[in-house]
Amino acid sequence: MKVKLSKLCACLLFCWCCGCSQSASLIPSINSVHHEYGESVHEQNYHDQHLINITYPKSQKTVLNEEIQARIAYHRQRFEQEYKHASTPQLPELNIDYQSYIKDDRYISIKLDVFSSTSQPQEQIETILYDNQKDCLLSLQDVMSEEALNLLSDMAKKYFQNHYPDECYTRQFAVHIAPSAHNYELFVLRKDALVFYFPSGTLFDYGVSWEVPYEDLADYIDMEKEETAVFVPYQDVLNEPIKNIDPNQPMVALTFDDGPTRKYTEAILDCLKENQASATFFVLGSRADDCPDLLQRMVLEGNEIGNHTFSHKQLTTLSKENIEEEIVATQESIHDVTSTYPSVIRPPYGSKNDAVMECAQGKKIVTWTIDTEDWHSKNAEVIVNKVIKDVKDGDIILMHDLYASSAEAAIILVPKLQEMGFQLVTVSELYEYGKNDAGKIM
Ligand SMILES: [Zn+2]
């Protein structure tokens, strides 16, 4: 099994230690507080026998609120039973705090950190995964297949053996790293990664967390896709990541035609991701199968895939029946790989006639407003200058992810355009914000 462990960068979010102190400061000290969802509510209940401090997120979602309240009630009840029998010289305390994460417009994760000190100081973690689209709670089994659990266990084992070389050969470790759902039930879906929590007394005597970037899961899907199910079912994470597009600021759409290609499309995707930018890839149906992982990355990372026909024929020379074939076959080959249908079409050479318009069946036909002629110059500097010289709000920039020079130009252009104040969005986003109709035929 080949897994890119080196790329996992599975860093510790925090590490807390039980038993070294008996104060409430045992609550995991987290450098950055993530309150991405809900309104923070704080309740304090102090009297001479105990202290209760609870902070939790409240939202419009009844199902989620009720679950949070139920978990809090459970800990509160347990605490109240315990402190009555406690013979501690200190004031018994219950502290509950939280982190909340929005993965995208569908998944919301809540992590509750529970600390109680009665006779014994205790730390516990609760995680809740809420499906904002279906208005229900999800468990690990809902977002992962059983095969994925085996792989996950293997990856976690390697990670911890690398990072805690002296502590991973205990019976305790073997039990809690095993591929059972229970061992991996504490997790959150962040924007960029799945994070698993292993509280104190599970893997080690202290709590640790383990972070797996989604891109590593995407790589895996491609590498072993015949034999293993998808990690997080692809259909479930198709939603556009949340983007902060300011409709009042200038925006342009970079577009790349004729790909994907392993070498250049991947480099462009890396650059877009690094700069939190989006682009549109007008993919050939005949090439969709070449790099399915790259197409999946496009969607998962918030880019758009457009239809550039199946075999790159000039549509205006074809019969209506053949035009339809070119378009439909491409829609299907892209759907096979990504579970999404493109909503934009760019006819090869930008050439269209009435028959092409009819065959588009409501999908937008998109051309461009800046032609970099990258196929002609094959020179990154020339391409960059051509864009920088003319670019204005609402432009659609034509390039091809077929050439090293185009990829090089894209790597220069993405941060450069951002520096110039342009937001890099997809063509559909450009239309959504009413910025441009120039490249749109219908
Ligand atoms: Zn083309």
Side-chain angles (χ1 to χ4, degrees), residues 205-401:
D205 292 339
Y206 45 87
V208 286
S209 67
W210 175 51
E211 189 176 319
V212 193
Y214 295 117
E215 61 183 282
D216 292 322
L217 311 184
D219 281 352
Y220 179 78
I221 293 164
D222 180 48
M223 286 159 68
E224 315 233 349
K225 69 179 187 310
E226 299 89 10
E227 49 180 285
T228 316
V230 180
F231 240 108
V232 176
Y234 187 70
Q235 289 85 337
D236 287 350
V237 287
L238 279 178
N239 317 288
E240 289 267 299
I242 290 172
K243 298 184 196 177
N244 295 317
I245 298 173
D246 184 344
N248 300 314
Q249 294 303 313
M251 55 184 87
V252 294
L254 287 174
T255 65
F256 299 92
D257 287 12
D258 300 358
T261 56
R262 171 65 56 197
K263 232 169 159 178
Y264 307 125
T265 311
E266 190 159 40
I268 294 166
L269 281 170
D270 288 346
C271 164
L272 290 166
K273 188 176 180 202
E274 199 172 304
N275 292 283
Q276 297 182 319
S278 305
T280 305
F281 294 85
F282 287 96
V283 162
L284 288 177
S286 55
R287 287 195 172 149
D289 255 357
D290 292 357
C291 320
D293 57 320
L294 294 186
L295 265 69
Q296 291 173 357
R297 265 192 75 183
M298 287 171 191
V299 180
L300 290 170
E301 294 174 8
N303 300 294
E304 181 168 21
I305 298 179
N307 181 328
H308 196 42
T309 74
F310 198 82
S311 50
H312 210 269
K313 293 189 183 107
Q314 188 165 345
L315 295 182
T316 48
T317 65
L318 301 182
S319 69
K320 203 171 155 188
E321 203 186 0
N322 288 343
I323 297 172
E324 203 164 273
E325 254 176 47
E326 283 282 329
I327 292 174
V328 171
T330 305
Q331 290 295 103
E332 290 305 327
S333 59
I334 291 169
H335 184 265
D336 284 349
V337 174
T338 66
S339 303
T340 60
Y341 286 109
S343 59
V344 289
I345 299 176
R346 176 174 279 164
Y349 319 104
S351 66
K352 69 271 165 189
N353 56 17
D354 287 349
V356 174
M357 307 289 239
E358 273 173 51
C359 293
Q361 294 192 330
K363 291 172 279 296
K364 292 185 187 75
I365 295 191
V366 177
T367 54
W368 52 84
T369 59
I370 294 183
D371 184 353
T372 61
E373 295 182 330
D374 57 337
W375 56 273
H376 182 62
S377 73
K378 296 209 180 115
N379 179 319
E381 203 183 319
V382 172
I383 298 165
V384 169
N385 289 339
K386 207 157 180 139
V387 174
I388 298 304
K389 179 167 68 74
D390 293 330
V391 66
K392 60 182 187 310
D393 188 18
D395 269 332
I396 295 177
I397 299 159
L398 170 63
M399 298 173 78
H400 297 81
D401 45 343

Side-chain angles (χ1 to χ4, degrees), residues 157 160-161 164-178 183 199-206 208:
K157 193 192 267 174
F160 285 109
Q161 284 173 347
Y164 300 79
D166 302 329
E167 299 179 68
C168 297
Y169 299 93
T170 63
R171 191 186 174 85
Q172 175 181 336
F173 180 83
V175 167
H176 290 98
I177 205 80
N183 283 340
S200 56
T202 59
L203 290 183
F204 309 118
D205 292 339
Y206 45 87
V208 286

